[in-house]
């Protein structure tokens, strides 16, 4: 049983948002921002449909939370995200002063919280978030793996169909 308002509880919420992204043909990443055990912002990847390279789950959630608080500083909040934030999202996390970042799966290619680079814990940065990783990591990684496996199969099929024409 999942304890209400635990890290796993909120990460499961973020995973549900990642499923929404997947259903829309987006890379399945979900994010939720919590303050005092209440959701103040949430999002999922929307870059493809919005044709906006900045529409990552974290950015969508940060924008929503900032509007809700009427402040771009999200000082006493926790961001839960299913995939390790990229450099762009790490920059937004720093500028918004998010207190804590909890992520699921590691991103060895573009992760900016320790996998590829460690922007969120870089000495000299004007704000450091507490970072915790690996919460529901297997579920998040499996969702991403299945998505990209399916996407590669579609690309292969389309190439095959195009050579037949």
């Amino acid at each position: 049983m999942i304890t209400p308002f635990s890290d796993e509880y909120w990460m499961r919420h973020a995973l549900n948002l990642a499923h929404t992204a997947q259903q829309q043909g987006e890379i399945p990443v979900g994010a939720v921002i919590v303050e005092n055990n209440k959701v103040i912002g949430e999002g999922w990847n929307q870059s493809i449909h919005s044709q906006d390279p900045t529409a990552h789950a974290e950015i969508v959630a940060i924008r929503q939370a900032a509007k809700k608080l009427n402040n771009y500083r999200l000082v006493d909040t926790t961001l839960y995200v299913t995939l390790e934030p990229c450099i762009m999202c790490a920059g937004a996390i720093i500028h918004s002063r998010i207190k804590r970042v909890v992520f699921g799966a590691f991103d060895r290619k573009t992760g900016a919280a320790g996998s590829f680079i460690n922007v969120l814990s870089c000495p000299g940065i004007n704000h450091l978030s507490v970072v915790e990783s690996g919460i529901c990591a297997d579920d998040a990684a499996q969702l991403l793996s299945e998505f990209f496996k399916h996407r590669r199969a579609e690309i292969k099929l389309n190439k095959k169909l195009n050579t037949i024409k």
Side-chain angles (χ1 to χ4, degrees), residues 14-161:
L15 281 164
N16 286 334
L17 296 168
H19 283 285
T20 300
Q22 182 181 36
Q23 291 165 358
Q24 294 178 0
E26 299 280 352
I27 296 171
V29 177
V32 60
I33 299 177
V34 175
E35 180 184 56
N36 297 322
N37 287 320
K38 292 182 183 157
V39 175
I40 60 167
E42 61 184 23
W44 55 88
N45 276 3
Q46 300 174 34
S47 297
I48 297 168
H49 282 77
S50 67
Q51 297 178 347
D52 178 358
T54 69
H56 288 195
E58 300 95 315
I59 301 295
V60 172
I62 287 169
R63 288 175 179 158
Q64 193 178 95
K67 281 184 181 180
K68 179 147 186 153
L69 295 181
N70 201 28
N71 191 341
Y72 75 99
R73 304 241 179 185
L74 307 176
V75 179
D76 290 319
T77 63
T78 299
L79 166 68
Y80 294 90
V81 61
T82 58
L83 181 65
E84 181 179 1
C86 69
I87 294 170
M88 174 185 69
C89 293
I93 290 164
I94 291 165
H95 287 293
S96 62
R97 307 293 197 270
I98 291 173
K99 183 177 188 175
R100 189 166 166 253
V101 176
V102 180
F103 70 87
F106 288 91
D107 185 348
R108 307 277 181 226
K109 293 182 181 178
T110 64
S115 289
F116 174 69
I117 192 168
N118 200 345
V119 173
L120 292 177
S121 298
C122 186
I125 294 285
N126 61 341
H127 172 77
L128 296 176
S129 297
V130 174
V131 177
E132 296 184 42
S133 59
I135 307 298
C136 303
D138 291 341
D139 293 336
Q142 182 179 357
L143 183 61
L144 286 158
S145 179
E146 288 173 5
F147 175 82
F148 285 112
K149 182 180 177 182
H150 179 70
R151 180 172 272 181
R152 284 189 298 274
E154 282 180 344
I155 291 169
K156 187 176 180 179
L157 178 62
N158 286 337
K159 283 182 180 179
K160 187 175 182 179
L161 292 174

Side-chain angles (χ1 to χ4, degrees), residues 1-10 37:
M1 182 175 180
I2 300 171
T3 306
F5 310 122
S6 66
D7 287 344
E8 184 179 357
Y9 174 88
W10 292 117
N37 287 320

